[in-house]
Amino acid sequence: MGAKNRKQAAGKTPATDRERSPLVPPHGKSNVRRPGRESKAFHGAHPNGLSSVKQRLGLTPSSLLKLSSLLFLGKFHLSRLFENDRHFSHLSNLEKEMAFRTEMGLYYSYYKTIIEAPTFLEGLHMIMNDRLTEHPLVINTLKRFNLYPEVVLASWYRMYTSTMGYFGIPTKMCWSINRGEGLSPVDSCEGLGDPAYFYVTCVFLLNGVMMSLFFIYGAYLSGSRLGGIVTTLLFFFNHGESTRVMWTPPLRESFAYPFLVLQMLLLTYILRLKVYTLVALGISNLCFMLPWQFAQFVLLTQVASLFASYILGYLAAAKMQSILVTHMITLGVCFLLMFGNSMLLTSFYASSLISIWVKKAAALFGINVLIRLPQKLMQGLAWVGSTVLLKFVLSTILGASDDAHISGLIKSKFTSYKDFHTMMYTCAAEFDFIELEVMLVLFYNQIRAQIIGCSQPFNVKTLFLQLVYHSLQLLAFALLAVLIMRLKLFLTPHMCIMGSLLCSRQLFGWIGERLKHQSVVLAVIAMMAVQGVANLQAQWAIIGEFSNLPQEELLDWIQENTRPDSVFAGAMPTMASVKLSTGRPIVNHPHYEDAGLRERTKLVYSMYSRMSGETVKKNLMKLGVDYFILEDSWCTRRTRPGCSMPEIWDIEDPQNVGKIPLCTHMSRSSRPYFTTVFSNDIYKVLKVPKDHR
């Protein structure tokens, strides 16, 4: 499996040379772990009691047992993959923080800020008046970075540790780790009292809940518990194509996507009923939007699918209007909770909601002008046109350009358009078009199921509505995945949900009596299990150990040799680690969804252009930088032709094409423009002389 090679390339070695002994042995003994892995023991309580909600939910004990089993199975599966991949239980606090690379480290740093503050409110005030992330600016990170998950988890962590401390119950066990290879020993802690363990455990529990939701979703959509089993198995069989949470717990999708599954389940419920309430739908909408800036694009596809169902005559006008109002109210509440984040109001999602309100006038205008075109087609075209127009009008009026890079990215997919910011995205494999082979594999079984199902007449109108909506939603997710490969995380799970329809008696009752139908489904599951189990075994076989000694040396040097107010610049992933582990101010970071930040990063990355050293020095002085962290790999790395940093800069700086990149000069000698104050095999720290300011 290719993932294994990628993991090892990131600095992993076989997990065989770390040994540890408890700093405080529990009762003077150590428990033996499985062969090949070192021993560990917990000292203290790790309560995982469930709240008594059985009566309120009206679930039978057997149903609760099944859902709880799925929850903990999903959590265990994710935890095992994460532990096997990084040997997380044997990492020091610094190594755990380094393991959260790129924007993961940035998000985790705010969780760390809140839990280390004297009080929760002081920590909240610190992240709402942040002076470290974009020096010298003071920014409200709650407005900019969708940090409500970190706020919630930090509050839970503080309550948990204070409660356990009050009763004198230990919450973690710490060990001395012998890292081998002549390295100094480090301390490592396990248990919910450890901040990183608490954080990832909550993430994995949330995604374990999602497994239960998949079962409920599949069972409800198909009208059969077997449908829930099919959906769950399909998700496990295609786990590597469905989620990244086991490798990247702090990413926004890890918090947001489970709420999208809940939201779509509630929407399916609403589409089926004549009498319904929209409160739960609105709350799930909000829980999906708050943690993730990309949620607006997903909800745009949902609105488009619903609107298409409406203009085709399958969705009643009153129900469409009710759902639309819920979306608009949720958007308004999210706008307030995000302290007026303009990206929400100027998004295509917001414009689409407004456009639907005026669709009658737009459709009427279209029919009068182009009378020969079908009315339904004109309604759709009017909605698309007005959405795009309104989006750019609102962006102009509000002076918002934070999401301009999205328009550039979409434009680059269909034209030869290129600029610095779009190349920063399109040169990354996850933002490229999805491979044709992957799409064929994903769609093969799904298409067969749809053809078989559609060969039967539909007698139940609500079932047809659900099938129309989910099919349109599947097509929308497929379009997103084709354009940007990483967005297959929406496509693959939805295909697993649609797979539950194989168990629908309304669609596949023609196969025969129930027992015969179920036998056919079980046979299909057995055939899928052959490749599915192979996929799981490939994931379980990923064994590694996180280690990044060059970065550890860098961070230790920064802590010991620079002032707390020294300002750093460099590659975005490294800057997140510098902020998280040293607390030093930085001028750029990996959260690229801000126009000002993109321009700052462009100035910083001029070090990897072919400009003169004098020009680059002035760029860094303009930002107030004290130290620049140079990485040779950023100078020489080339994912494909035209995608090295100097080549990307050639688009923006054509007058210097052909010259030797400045970073190449700096790797040899940093003088006369900078002074090298630290270097190892990977990093070189260049000091900006103060006498040149």
Side-chain angles (χ1 to χ4, degrees):
M1 184 173 176
K4 181 175 181 179
N5 296 328
R6 291 197 298 274
K7 303 279 181 263
Q8 291 176 340
K12 297 181 186 304
T13 58
T16 58
D17 52 2
R18 290 205 175 205
E19 299 178 357
R20 66 181 181 180
S21 57
L23 297 180
V24 184
H27 311 299
K29 298 181 180 179
S30 295
N31 296 329
V32 179
R33 290 190 71 187
R34 62 187 184 275
R37 302 299 290 273
E38 293 69 25
S39 61
K40 69 176 178 181
F42 287 88
H43 189 198
H46 296 277
N48 37 343
L50 299 173
S51 59
S52 180
V53 296
K54 298 178 181 178
Q55 297 298 325
R56 292 198 300 270
L57 292 177
L59 296 174
T60 65
S62 61
S63 299
L64 284 174
L65 181 61
K66 291 176 184 177
L67 295 177
S68 299
S69 299
L70 279 175
L71 189 161
F72 288 107
L73 177 62
K75 188 265 182 186
F76 171 77
H77 179 64
L78 295 171
S79 299
R80 177 184 173 183
L81 292 175
F82 184 69
E83 169 65 18
N84 287 350
D85 176 48
R86 302 185 185 182
H87 212 186
F88 201 69
S89 60
H90 287 55
L91 300 182
S92 66
N93 288 335
L94 177 59
E95 289 173 315
K96 289 174 182 176
E97 291 178 354
M98 289 192 300
F100 296 141
R101 286 183 52 77
T102 65
E103 59 186 296
M104 294 187 288
L106 182 69
Y107 298 135
Y108 184 83
S109 70
Y110 301 109
Y111 166 79
K112 180 181 177 181
T113 296
I114 297 176
I115 65 175
E116 291 184 349
T119 66
F120 171 77
L121 290 179
E122 287 184 63
L124 190 61
H125 180 268
M126 290 170 67
I127 70 169
M128 292 177 65
N129 298 272
D130 180 84
R131 300 175 180 273
L132 301 180
T133 307
E134 294 181 9
H135 178 85
L137 303 179
V138 179
I139 62 173
N140 181 351
T141 59
L142 266 184
K143 176 181 178 179
R144 288 275 301 278
F145 301 145
N146 300 81
L147 294 178
Y148 276 97
E150 280 65 33
V151 172
V152 172
L153 291 186
S155 66
W156 289 355
Y157 176 82
R158 295 184 70 111
M159 287 188 290
Y160 172 76
T161 53
S162 60
T163 301
M164 295 297 104
Y166 178 81
F167 290 106
I169 302 174
T171 59
K172 61 183 178 180
M173 170 58 69
C174 295
W175 305 83
S176 177
I177 305 295
N178 179 11
R179 298 190 288 176
E181 299 179 1
L183 300 174
S184 59
V186 294
D187 295 340
S188 178
C189 297
E190 282 187 90
L192 294 179
D194 180 77
Y197 251 86
F198 185 92
Y199 187 97
V200 298
T201 297
C202 288
V203 174
F204 294 152
L205 278 173
L206 175 61
N207 284 266
V209 171
M210 185 178 71
M211 295 306 305
S212 299
L213 290 176
F214 272 125
F215 176 83
I216 297 172
Y217 201 157
Y220 186 74
L221 183 63
S222 64
S224 167
R225 290 184 181 180
L226 185 59
I229 295 174
V230 168
T231 294
T232 306
L233 287 175
L234 284 173
F235 187 83
F236 271 112
F237 291 161
N238 297 278
H239 196 258
E241 302 292 334
S242 301
T243 181
R244 301 184 297 171
V245 65
M246 59 283 193
W247 316 130
T248 56
L251 288 186
R252 302 299 84 185
E253 66 202 50
S254 303
F255 295 99
Y257 186 73
F259 290 104
L260 176 64
V261 177
L262 174 62
Q263 191 259 13
M264 294 180 68
L265 171 60
L266 292 171
L267 181 61
T268 304
Y269 179 77
I270 291 168
L271 293 177
R272 182 173 294 186
L273 299 181
K274 292 184 178 180
V275 180
Y276 50 87
T277 177
L278 295 168
V279 175
L281 180 67
I283 294 174
S284 59
N285 249 13
L286 186 63
C287 291
F288 174 53
M289 293 182 66
L290 280 178
W292 199 12
Q293 67 274 13
F294 193 81
Q296 53 178 294
F297 297 100
V298 180
L299 293 177
L300 171 65
T301 67
Q302 184 177 97
V303 170
S305 301
L306 289 169
F307 184 62
S309 301
Y310 163 68
I311 62 177
L312 290 173
Y314 299 115
L315 180 59
K319 186 171 289 189
M320 178 66 194
Q321 182 175 347
S322 299
I323 296 173
L324 186 67
V325 169
T326 303
H327 274 276
M328 298 185 77
I329 293 174
T330 303
L331 178 63
V333 173
C334 189
F335 177 75
L336 294 176
L337 292 177
M338 291 290 291
F339 300 91
N341 189 314
S342 60
M343 281 187 66
L344 292 172
L345 292 188
T346 60
S347 64
F348 284 106
Y349 170 55
S351 299
S352 70
L353 294 174
I354 298 174
S355 297
I356 292 177
W357 282 106
V358 298
K359 70 101 189 154
K360 289 184 178 180
L364 179 61
F365 175 77
I367 292 170
N368 288 338
V369 175
L370 300 171
I371 192 67
R372 294 185 179 182
L373 289 178
Q375 180 179 354
K376 293 177 181 179
L377 175 61
M378 285 309 305
Q379 287 179 314
L381 292 175
W383 173 72
V384 172
S386 59
T387 295
V388 174
L389 178 62
L390 185 58
K391 183 261 186 294
F392 288 106
V393 169
L394 289 174
S395 297
T396 302
I397 293 176
L398 297 177
S401 58
D402 290 343
D403 60 350
H405 63 301
I406 300 296
S407 301
L409 179 60
I410 296 174
K411 184 179 178 181
S412 71
K413 292 289 183 178
F414 301 102
T415 68
S416 60
Y417 175 78
K418 295 180 181 178
D419 65 16
F420 181 86
H421 303 302
T422 59
M423 290 295 287
M424 290 291 288
Y425 279 101
T426 57
C427 281
E430 58 267 30
F431 285 94
D432 202 355
F433 289 103
I434 195 169
E435 298 94 335
L436 178 61
E437 180 183 357
V438 174
M439 288 299 296
L440 291 176
V441 171
L442 290 176
F443 269 106
Y444 177 69
N445 290 329
Q446 186 68 33
I447 291 175
R448 289 184 63 190
Q450 291 302 308
I451 291 174
I452 297 172
C454 291
S455 65
Q456 289 303 109
F458 292 93
N459 299 320
V460 182
K461 184 177 180 180
T462 54
L463 176 64
F464 195 26
L465 167 59
Q466 291 175 80
L467 186 59
V468 168
Y469 161 68
H470 282 88
S471 297
L472 290 170
Q473 186 68 76
L474 182 68
L475 290 174
F477 285 160
L479 177 61
L480 290 180
V482 168
L483 293 176
I484 300 176
M485 184 178 63
R486 67 179 289 186
L487 299 184
K488 64 184 178 183
L489 71 94
F490 297 115
L491 173 64
T492 310
H494 200 70
M495 295 178 80
C496 298
I497 293 169
M498 294 286 283
S500 68
L501 292 174
L502 289 170
C503 304
S504 172
R505 293 294 295 166
Q506 290 91 340
L507 294 178
F508 292 93
W510 54 270
I511 292 177
E513 59 184 8
R514 183 177 298 274
L515 182 59
K516 184 178 179 181
H517 182 196
Q518 292 177 346
S519 299
V520 172
V521 172
L522 291 175
V524 173
I525 293 175
M527 289 188 290
M528 292 188 299
V530 175
Q531 183 59 45
V533 171
N535 294 340
L536 288 173
Q537 289 175 336
Q539 286 198 314
W540 295 334
I542 298 174
I543 303 295
E545 178 173 304
F546 179 84
S547 179
N548 193 338
L549 294 177
Q551 188 174 91
E552 186 175 339
E553 291 176 357
L554 170 69
L555 297 175
D556 286 340
W557 182 88
I558 291 174
Q559 285 278 41
E560 297 171 3
N561 297 277
T562 65
R563 294 165 51 90
D565 60 351
S566 298
V567 182
F568 284 79
M572 292 183 286
T574 305
M575 289 301 97
S577 295
V578 169
K579 179 187 181 300
L580 168 60
S581 299
T582 71
R584 300 303 193 265
I586 57 177
V587 299
N588 64 310
H589 53 78
H591 198 278
Y592 215 56
E593 284 75 24
D594 178 77
L597 187 277
R598 291 196 293 273
E599 291 308 310
R600 282 169 158 258
T601 299
K602 189 174 178 180
L603 288 176
V604 170
Y605 280 22
S606 62
M607 179 66 76
Y608 300 102
S609 71
R610 307 179 197 273
M611 298 179 185
S612 67
E614 183 67 29
T615 300
V616 173
K617 184 186 68 176
K618 289 180 179 178
N619 288 342
L620 297 177
M621 291 167 53
K622 187 186 304 183
L623 296 173
V625 174
D626 294 312
Y627 298 95
F628 183 93
I629 300 177
L630 178 69
E631 300 175 53
D632 287 341
S633 61
W634 281 75
C635 192
T636 58
R637 182 175 55 199
R638 192 185 195 213
T639 56
R640 62 173 181 266
C643 279
S644 67
M645 280 302 304
E647 288 174 313
I648 292 175
W649 262 108
D650 288 344
I651 298 172
E652 296 283 335
D653 187 30
Q655 63 268 28
N656 287 314
V657 172
K659 295 182 179 179
I660 298 176
L662 177 64
C663 51
T664 302
H665 290 298
M666 291 296 104
S667 64
R668 299 168 184 166
S669 174
S670 59
R671 293 187 180 276
Y673 305 106
F674 307 99
T675 303
T676 301
V677 292
F678 170 86
S679 66
N680 60 22
D681 294 340
I682 304 297
Y683 303 98
K684 177 180 283 190
V685 179
L686 309 180
K687 182 176 176 61
V688 180
K690 291 186 177 181
D691 57 344
H692 288 288
R693 295 191 176 189

